Amino acid sequence: MSTLQSRDDLSWQRILLRIGIIAICTIVIVIAMPQSSAPQYNSKVGSPWTQAAVTATFDFDIPKDSAAYKAECDSVRKNFAPYYINDLSVSQVQINRFIARNQNGIDGLPSSYISLVARKLAELYSLGIIPQTDYARLSRDTSMLIRVVTGKMSQSQRVRNLLTPMMAYERFFNDSQISAVRSHLQKCNINEYFTANLKYDSARSNAELGSQIALIAAKCGQVKKGERIIDRGDIVNDEDLRKLNAYTAEMEKNMSDRSKLTTMWGRILFISIILTIFTIYLHLFRADYFEKPRSLAMVYCLIAIFPVLVSLLVQYNLFSVYILPLAMLPMFVRVFLDSRTAFIAHITMLLICSLVLTMPYEFLLIQITSGLVAIYSLRELSKRSQIFIAAVYTSAAALAAHYALQLMQPGEEIALNHSVAVHFVFSGILLLLAYPLMFLVEKVFGFTSAVTLFELSDTNKNLLRRLSEVAPGTLQHSITVGNIGAEIASKIGAKSLLVRVGALYHDIGKMSAPAFFTENQRGTNPHDRLTPIESAEIIVNHVHEGLRMAEREGLPDVICDFIRTHHGEGMAKYFYITEQNAHPDVEVDKTQFTYPGPNPFTREQAILMMADGVEAASRSLKEYSEESITALVNRLIDGMVADGYFRECPITFRDIATSKRVLIDKLKSMYHTRITYPELNK
């Protein structure tokens, strides 16, 4: 009952894991998408329109060019005649002040000068006196007019005919009657009686200016519903661009909050459906990936990252989406996982990206083509130059697909758009970043690429070079096991390169005591001086020593797994049997002679176990005939199967049978076996 309960709990945990992955990816992608579903058109004046024809789905006005509209508004402001109120009380107050102060007359002048000065003051005020700052601003244009409001009447008046308080003072003394007695009048401080009687009417001026600007037409035309805005192949001009921008802005304005919410929920639903379908694919065909959280993390992170980048480009109208190296996703998935998953993941990512594009049909066709080429170009990544070749092929395929789609458009033949070609070339250049990013993915998600495996297989570096110096026999044994294992892997469809590299490192722990292993012995056997238990401890310990060396050198986990599993949970039977024979009355503790394990859990590890065991045992054969080799291989492999070493790995009986045939053929060719000649009967 408890076992069933634990299985149910594990099943629910897996279901919740899948749901959580889908929910997190969906939320991240939807948040990055533009809030508006209105199309964003990215084009330049003078370039051909490469997208599909755009037809208006509603009536909308075409705004004027912003620079032209601003120029018209500036012209109205420049020629506008501001309103000034003529305050008649100002002149009367100042004249009365002068009369009141000089009612006893002016020293040295007849009393008639009182009325003369009052009359001259009235004449100057009738011309209009404005503040000095206003006059300095308005008089820059000699033809500038103002509107002088007196009571309910207004009349235009040139600024150059107006006076400032200082100008009125100077004109007062320029009068012939006044200038003759200037010295007497200056004692009266005449300048104190000149002040502005024209005051700026800001409320009326602003209202009038606003009404005049409002009369300027901000629109230069209208597009009717169903009217073609622009067609594919047309050269984009200023008017076309204004129409497209007005169409997008009007569509954005017409979208209500409810429609935006509906759009968001639609995106969430669609993305959830697509990711669920992809997750079901993994569950049905690649269930082993769910056992490796890092594999899931890499695939779903890549699927989420590229739609986010596409959304940012579209939202901020930065560049064309074709500059993004979207083929990088299938390249990574192909290198680290498999081709079929790479293609399905690529399709999933493209469908999500297409939600924010104005031309999803063309985008999907081009990117699917380039993704397929990227997958085919990296059938087996073994050297750096393949990344460059894949980038070239992918860009060329995208460019060819784009040109083919252009040719299929109705109408005249369309020439290749050089600006679009530049986008695809730039995307190919960005694809070259796949090589350095590959190492980042390896470190973050715990993968090992073929390039890394090839670098690890160099026998002139690090551990393998030391192995050749300290234990040359072990290195030769490892190389032989690697060759045999790679041949088996090729026959059964496993990863031959991984088996070869794993074989090179599986026995590095023997460097701690090389003389205790037969392939490194030269005449003397140090085990003769030890008890079977002590010898077994040294033999078994080479697994622990190998893991310690591998960890110190930073070898990938996938290589360390070969060190752990190449003996599985088997025994050092030679020493166990020797000890048991020496003490027949005592039950010998098997744990002292047992390897730490675990047993192989991948086909590649099982291949290495078979190749390692058979190659080592073949050295003890007294006769290398086909019969003896066949008997040895069958006995060892059948024993491994019977002991349950392969219960935890997905290797089949057919794979094991194929492995036997390869092992027999390889050993026969290594030891140059011949047929056994019959004896002549006497």
Side-chain angles (χ1 to χ4, degrees):
M1 185 68 179
S2 60
T3 304
L4 292 176
Q5 182 67 32
S6 63
R7 288 180 179 177
D8 291 340
D9 293 342
L10 183 60
S11 177
W12 275 108
Q13 289 176 3
R14 291 175 177 175
I15 293 174
L16 292 176
L17 172 64
R18 290 157 173 75
I19 294 175
I21 291 173
I22 294 172
I24 292 173
C25 289
T26 301
I27 292 172
V28 171
I29 295 171
V30 171
I31 289 176
M33 284 183 170
Q35 298 301 313
S36 170
S37 60
Q40 301 293 327
Y41 299 107
N42 187 14
S43 186
K44 295 180 179 179
V45 175
S47 61
W49 183 255
T50 59
Q51 304 179 33
V54 181
T55 302
T57 57
F58 50 81
D59 297 344
F60 65 93
D61 295 324
I62 306 171
K64 279 185 179 179
D65 178 68
S66 58
Y69 180 74
K70 183 176 181 300
E72 291 185 24
C73 294
D74 291 342
S75 177
V76 169
R77 292 188 183 94
K78 181 179 179 181
N79 298 320
F80 176 70
Y83 283 84
Y84 279 79
I85 298 176
N86 185 6
D87 190 353
L88 299 177
S89 64
V90 172
S91 60
Q92 191 61 44
V93 168
Q94 297 302 330
I95 292 172
N96 291 337
R97 283 181 60 217
F98 173 77
I99 294 174
R101 286 185 179 182
N102 298 282
Q103 58 184 345
N104 296 326
I106 301 173
D107 292 341
L109 294 177
S111 59
S112 59
Y113 273 89
I114 300 296
S115 58
L116 176 62
V117 171
R119 188 171 63 254
K120 291 299 181 182
L121 289 174
E123 290 176 1
L124 292 174
Y125 273 109
S126 66
L127 294 176
I129 301 176
I130 65 173
Q132 176 66 36
T133 55
D134 289 13
Y135 184 86
R137 175 172 51 84
L138 298 173
S139 62
R140 294 172 185 172
D141 185 356
T142 57
S143 60
M144 186 68 182
L145 298 174
I146 65 170
R147 302 282 295 180
V148 178
V149 179
T150 305
K152 295 182 179 180
M153 302 294 293
S154 68
Q155 62 178 0
S156 297
Q157 191 169 348
R158 292 188 180 276
V159 175
R160 65 184 182 183
N161 296 331
L162 300 176
L163 301 173
T164 65
M166 182 59 67
M167 293 170 62
Y169 177 77
E170 293 176 354
R171 182 170 294 190
F172 174 80
F173 281 107
N174 286 337
D175 184 270
S176 57
Q177 292 180 303
I178 300 299
S179 61
V181 292
R182 180 169 185 153
S183 58
H184 297 280
L185 291 176
Q186 283 180 334
K187 297 176 182 179
C188 298
N189 296 324
I190 297 297
N191 60 302
E192 294 181 359
Y193 305 104
F194 290 105
T195 185
N197 66 332
L198 300 182
K199 298 179 181 178
Y200 177 65
D201 189 348
S202 60
R204 184 176 297 184
S205 297
N206 292 336
E208 181 64 20
L209 178 60
S211 64
Q212 291 187 22
I213 291 178
L215 295 176
I216 301 174
K219 314 296 181 182
C220 62
Q222 188 181 50
V223 175
K224 297 294 185 180
K225 179 180 179 181
E227 181 180 342
R228 180 64 55 86
I229 298 175
I230 193 169
D231 205 347
R232 179 187 286 270
D234 292 347
I235 302 300
V236 180
N237 55 34
D238 292 329
E239 184 180 359
D240 295 330
L241 201 57
R242 285 198 301 273
K243 288 181 180 179
L244 291 171
N245 292 335
Y247 183 51
T248 303
E250 191 68 21
M251 193 178 300
E252 175 83 19
K253 185 173 65 175
N254 293 337
M255 288 184 63
S256 62
D257 292 337
R258 181 177 180 181
S259 63
K260 291 180 180 179
L261 184 62
T262 304
T263 300
M264 184 187 70
W265 281 112
R267 288 172 175 172
I268 292 175
L269 180 61
F270 181 83
I271 295 172
S272 300
I273 291 172
I274 295 298
L275 291 177
T276 301
I277 294 173
F278 177 72
T279 306
I280 292 173
Y281 157 78
L282 293 179
H283 174 74
L284 295 177
F285 302 102
R286 291 292 184 267
D288 55 311
Y289 292 163
F290 283 101
E291 306 299 330
K292 304 173 184 177
R294 291 184 176 183
S295 299
L296 287 180
M298 183 199 71
V299 175
Y300 283 95
C301 280
L302 291 175
I303 290 177
I305 285 173
F306 286 105
V308 169
L309 294 177
V310 170
S311 298
L312 293 177
L313 287 185
V314 172
Q315 184 172 358
Y316 296 104
N317 201 18
L318 299 175
F319 304 101
S320 169
V321 294
Y322 290 115
I323 70 169
L324 290 176
L326 300 181
M328 196 177 290
L329 181 147
M331 289 173 63
F332 281 160
V333 180
R334 169 65 189 89
V335 169
F336 294 117
L337 300 178
D338 64 273
S339 299
R340 183 161 57 173
T341 304
F343 179 70
I344 300 298
H346 188 52
I347 295 296
T348 302
M349 179 266 293
L350 294 179
L351 289 174
I352 296 174
C353 291
S354 65
L355 293 179
V356 297
L357 300 178
T358 56
M359 295 185 62
Y361 169 75
E362 179 178 325
F363 171 80
L364 288 173
L365 293 181
I366 293 174
Q367 295 299 338
I368 289 174
T369 303
S370 62
L372 286 172
V373 173
I375 294 173
Y376 298 157
S377 302
L378 296 174
R379 293 186 301 275
E380 186 174 353
L381 182 62
S382 59
K383 47 189 177 181
R384 296 178 177 88
S385 60
Q386 286 182 262
I387 296 290
F388 176 78
I389 295 172
V392 173
Y393 287 168
T394 301
S395 298
L399 191 58
H402 173 73
Y403 186 52
L405 291 175
Q406 283 187 314
L407 293 177
M408 288 189 290
Q409 297 300 319
E412 299 181 357
E413 183 177 351
I414 301 175
L416 182 63
N417 187 352
H418 295 292
S419 62
V420 176
V422 171
H423 295 156
F424 291 122
V425 171
F426 189 74
S427 174
I429 295 173
L430 290 179
L431 270 181
L432 297 178
L433 295 175
Y435 186 77
L437 289 176
M438 193 175 298
F439 293 101
L440 178 62
V441 172
E442 288 185 24
K443 297 300 181 182
V444 173
F445 299 105
F447 290 102
T448 303
S449 68
V451 175
T452 300
L453 292 177
F454 271 103
E455 292 175 349
L456 290 174
S457 66
D458 188 351
T459 57
N460 294 318
K461 293 182 178 180
N462 301 332
L463 282 175
L464 297 183
R465 181 179 56 79
R466 286 165 44 203
L467 183 63
S468 67
E469 297 170 353
V470 176
T474 299
L475 177 62
Q476 186 58 45
H477 159 72
S478 300
I479 293 174
T480 304
V481 171
N483 292 334
I484 297 173
E487 181 70 18
I488 296 173
S490 298
K491 294 291 185 181
I492 69 174
K495 299 175 181 178
S496 59
L497 177 60
L498 180 59
V499 174
R500 187 186 301 275
V501 178
L504 290 176
Y505 288 90
H506 79 286
D507 271 343
I508 57 175
K510 292 180 179 181
M511 284 191 290
S512 61
F516 287 87
F517 298 90
T518 56
E519 66 267 21
N520 299 312
Q521 293 173 359
R522 297 294 182 267
T524 60
N525 188 349
H527 289 288
D528 296 338
R529 301 187 299 271
L530 302 176
T531 65
I533 294 178
E534 292 172 338
S535 295
E537 182 181 358
I538 294 174
I539 297 300
V540 170
N541 192 54
H542 87 276
V543 174
H544 296 290
E545 289 295 324
L547 290 173
R548 184 179 59 81
M549 294 178 185
E551 183 179 355
R552 187 173 63 244
E553 292 293 327
L555 292 182
D557 290 341
V558 69
I559 301 300
C560 295
D561 290 337
F562 282 99
I563 301 174
R564 293 186 182 93
T565 61
H566 73 279
H567 286 296
E569 296 175 354
M571 295 177 60
K573 289 186 178 180
Y574 177 87
F575 298 106
Y576 169 72
I577 294 172
T578 302
E579 179 69 13
Q580 187 65 68
N581 290 339
H583 303 86
D585 299 331
V586 180
E587 185 69 27
V588 176
D589 185 6
K590 294 182 179 181
T591 58
Q592 300 178 82
F593 302 89
T594 303
Y595 288 97
N599 288 326
F601 50 85
T602 66
R603 291 201 301 168
E604 290 76 16
Q605 294 166 8
I607 291 170
L608 178 62
M609 174 179 276
M610 291 187 288
D612 180 47
V614 170
E615 198 280 334
S618 67
R619 298 173 182 269
S620 63
L621 286 176
K622 297 179 180 179
E623 180 186 2
Y624 293 105
S625 64
E626 183 174 357
E627 292 80 4
S628 64
I629 290 175
T630 302
L632 174 69
V633 170
N634 287 329
R635 177 172 58 84
L636 290 177
I637 302 303
D638 291 343
M640 293 177 184
V641 174
D643 290 339
Y645 291 157
F646 304 144
R647 289 176 182 173
E648 300 172 8
C649 68
I651 195 168
T652 64
F653 285 113
R654 182 176 181 178
D655 295 337
I656 293 174
T658 303
S659 302
K660 287 181 178 181
R661 289 196 300 270
V662 174
L663 285 166
I664 293 170
D665 293 340
K666 279 291 185 180
L667 291 179
K668 286 167 57 179
S669 63
M670 285 169 54
Y671 296 113
H672 307 288
T673 61
R674 298 176 180 173
I675 62 173
T676 303
Y677 286 88
E679 295 183 0
L680 180 63
N681 293 328
K682 295 181 181 181

